[in-house]
Amino acid sequence: RKEVEQDPGPFNVPEGATVAFNCTYSNSASQSFFWYRQDCRKEPKLLMSVYSSGNEDGRFTAQLNRASQYISLLIRDSKLSDSATYLCVVNGARYSTLTFGKGTMLLVSP
Amino acid sequence: GAGVSQSPSNKVTEKGKDVELRCDPISGHTALYWYRQSLGQGLEFLIYFQGNSAPDKSGLPSDRFSAERTGGSVSTLTIQRTQQEDSAVYLCASSPSWGVTYEQYFGPGTRLTVT
C-alpha cells in the first residue's frame, strides 16, 4: 500500500457544486495531516490542517477518520478559482518529514 | 516579508554536467527541505536540514546528489553527472522549526532539464 493515495481525477464540476476528495494513508502512527493546494506550474501552498475533530474554513471542510486511515476534503459552492490540484499530506515513517500524495485535480467550469 | 526564493528558475544542462541549485529560506526559519517533482508525480522528499543537526539525507536517490546548508540559512543542492531522469522541478521549503506540525513554505522551484 502506498504511503498516501489519492484519486488523481480530474474532477470536473460546474461552479456552485459541492465536491469531495478522499485520501488514504498507510502509517497508522501518523499524527499530522494537511491539505495543500498546487496551481498549475506553481509551488504547493497550505490550504488547511486536518484535526481529529474535523475543521472548517469557509467553504472548505476537512475530516479525519483514524480508524479507516483516511482524510477527506469537502469544497462547497465551488468557484472557478478553486481549480487546482489538491495534495493530501501526512507525516510518514520518518516523523520529521511529510509525505505528499500525488494530488487530485479539480476543474471548475462556468 | 520575503518568501522562499530559489535560483535559477530554469536550468537546461547536458547529460553528464554538474548543476547547483540554490535556496534562500524565509529569514529565521530553522528547518529546510528539498523535494523534487517529476511530471505528473507527487513530491519526492530528498533531504531535510534542522538547525545545526546532521541533515536527514534518507531521500537522496543516489550519491550523485548532495546538499549543504551554510550558516543555517542558504542551501545548495548539487547534482553531479546529471542524467535525463534527473529532469524535474526541484522545490525547496522552509519551516519555522522542527516538527511536522509546522507549515512548510515552498519556493517557486527550479525546473531542471537534462538533455
Side-chain angles (χ1 to χ4, degrees):
Chain A
R1 183 179 184 181
K2 293 182 182 175
E3 285 193 70
V4 180
E5 283 199 82
Q6 299 182 249
D7 181 342
F11 284 60
N12 288 284
V13 303
E15 270 187 294
T18 296
V19 61
F21 310 134
N22 285 336
C23 159
T24 58
Y25 61 94
S26 62
N27 184 359
S28 59
S30 293
Q31 295 295 320
S32 299
F33 310 91
F34 309 90
W35 285 100
Y36 275 70
R37 169 192 169 129
Q38 186 172 25
D39 292 296
C40 188
R41 299 176 76 86
K42 298 286 190 180
E43 70 273 21
K45 293 184 179 178
L46 180 68
L47 178 66
M48 58 196 303
S49 302
V50 185
Y51 303 122
S52 296
S53 55
N55 48 300
E56 187 173 310
D57 183 1
R59 298 182 293 109
F60 299 84
T61 300
Q63 297 278 352
L64 168 63
N65 184 318
R66 286 188 184 275
S68 301
Q69 292 180 214
Y70 79 78
I71 306 154
S72 65
L73 176 68
L74 181 78
I75 305 175
R76 291 181 299 278
D77 189 22
S78 299
K79 311 291 185 190
L80 294 177
S81 57
D82 294 335
S83 296
T85 296
Y86 291 83
L87 307 176
C88 175
V89 185
V90 177
N91 78 283
R94 297 184 305 277
Y95 180 73
S96 58
T97 61
L98 296 173
T99 300
F100 287 74
K102 291 185 179 182
T104 297
M105 183 182 291
L106 172 65
L107 300 172
V108 182
S109 54
Chain B
V4 178
S5 61
Q6 292 186 245
S7 61
S9 55
N10 283 284
K11 176 73 176 177
V12 180
T13 190
E14 291 180 354
K15 177 181 172 182
K17 300 280 190 184
D18 297 352
V19 295
E20 278 191 359
L21 313 179
R22 178 187 167 107
C23 171
D24 273 281
I26 293 172
S27 177
H29 281 194
T30 59
L32 186 148
Y33 306 79
W34 282 99
Y35 298 88
R36 72 177 175 182
Q37 188 172 31
S38 302
L39 189 63
Q41 300 298 310
L43 272 71
E44 176 187 3
F45 165 76
L46 297 177
I47 187 168
Y48 158 65
F49 295 89
Q50 168 54 30
N52 296 320
S53 302
D56 177 352
K57 303 181 181 180
S58 57
L60 294 178
S62 77
D63 59 8
R64 296 186 296 105
F65 288 73
S66 62
E68 289 185 335
R69 189 178 184 193
T70 54
S73 182
V74 171
S75 178
T76 303
L77 177 69
T78 301
I79 308 173
Q80 297 178 307
R81 305 181 302 281
T82 51
Q83 304 294 311
Q84 288 186 329
E85 61 262 29
D86 299 334
S87 295
V89 176
Y90 288 81
L91 290 158
C92 172
S94 71
S95 185
S97 184
W98 178 91
V100 293
T101 55
Y102 290 93
E103 176 180 355
Q104 293 187 17
Y105 297 80
F106 283 83
T110 294
R111 186 172 299 276
L112 175 66
T113 304
V114 181
T115 61

